Every structure is written in C-alpha cells, then in structure tokens.
Amino acid sequence: SALREAGVPAVVSQAGSVRESDAAFELSAVLASVASPRDAGALRTALATRMFGYGAAVLAALGADDKAWQAIVDVFDDLRKTWWEHGFVAMAEKMLLVADARVRLLASTSGPRRLTNLLHLVELTEKAVAEHHLTPDGVVTWLDRVRADPKLLPEDTAEIRLESDAAAVQIT
C-alpha cells in the first residue's frame, strides 16, 4: 500500500484460494439475485456489493421509489432471461456491463485484485455450469458449497492469480 501511494505499482504474490475472497461472497450474492430477482433482500445485498456499488442512501431512496425499484428488478429479470436463453457467460458479461463493474472496481487501489478474483470466479463458475449442467439456483448452491468446502475445488484451480503485473514490483 505504501508503494501504491508513492505511485509505484506493486503486486503481492500470495498463496490462497479465490473461493475465500470477498469476490466469492459478492458473486454469490449477485448470482442469488439474478436467480431470484424478486427477492428484495437478495437484490439489496447484490446492489450493495462493490460490483454494483450502491450505498445505503441510494438503497433507502430505491426503497421509497416503487418505479425505480421495479426498473432494477426488471434489469435482474433480464439478466436471468439472458442466462436461460444464452448461457451463464453471456449473462455474466451483461451483468458486468450493467453494473459498470470493471470501471468501478478498477477505480479503487485494490481494484485490479478484486477484478482478477471476480473474473477468475466467473471462469470457474462457467466450468461448473458446463460440467454439471447447473441451473441458476444450482449455481448459487454450488458456489456457496465451494466457498464452504475447500475440497470441492482443486487447489491449483482455485489458487489466487496475480493481477496484471507487467509493470509492477512483485513482492513475495
């Protein structure tokens, strides 16, 4: 963090599993809301993630504005429809665009790490969808199980990847 504050890009090479990252919890929350877009609690949790970035004041305002809330439910309904009609990857790409997640995540100092973890998790989830023919609800269950049980993903598959490090000091 001191290197970043001084304008020196740096990445920390670390062991660990992407399944234990904040991104895993947040992706699970967002996918739960896509699977059940009319579940207000799940939708509020998804909107409060770093991916969507809605703060408490915005969420409170949405709670008081039925028309605005319905517009958001419609967006998540559309994501669910995209998932069913075009597959998980098409939905995930659309979700990242709708949330403006790449820009939002990269705006913070830990953004490259968060985005790398999120995209890694999307990749792992797509592989599980293809291998196990998972429905949206099945994906949420799978991701929650993977987060809880390290044995469900091989270590080398779930190992945290380095974010873009082409011009960065590597700290091990």
Side-chain angles (χ1 to χ4, degrees), residues 24-106:
F25 168 78
E26 291 191 355
L27 181 60
S28 180
V30 171
L31 295 180
S33 68
V34 173
S36 300
R38 301 203 181 280
D39 179 338
L43 191 49
R44 276 191 293 279
T45 300
L47 295 173
T49 63
R50 288 178 186 91
M51 190 185 316
F52 280 88
Y54 285 50
V58 174
L59 289 171
L62 281 172
D65 185 342
D66 291 341
K67 190 174 182 179
W69 181 256
Q70 187 57 50
I72 290 179
V73 170
D74 291 346
V75 166
F76 279 77
D77 268 335
D78 186 55
L79 289 170
R80 181 176 168 87
K81 181 179 178 187
T82 299
W83 193 341
W84 279 112
E85 293 177 358
H86 303 287
F88 175 78
V89 171
M91 181 282 302
E93 281 299 319
K94 190 172 189 175
M95 174 186 66
L96 293 171
L97 287 172
V98 165
D100 202 16
R102 286 180 174 92
V103 171
R104 178 172 289 101
L105 292 173
L106 290 174

Side-chain angles (χ1 to χ4, degrees), residues 124-148:
L124 293 173
T125 304
E126 168 53 22
K127 185 176 178 186
V129 167
E131 286 179 7
H132 306 294
H133 308 287
L134 299 174
T135 65
D137 289 325
V139 167
V140 173
T141 300
W142 174 83
L143 189 53
D144 288 344
R145 286 181 44 220
V146 162
R147 288 179 46 235

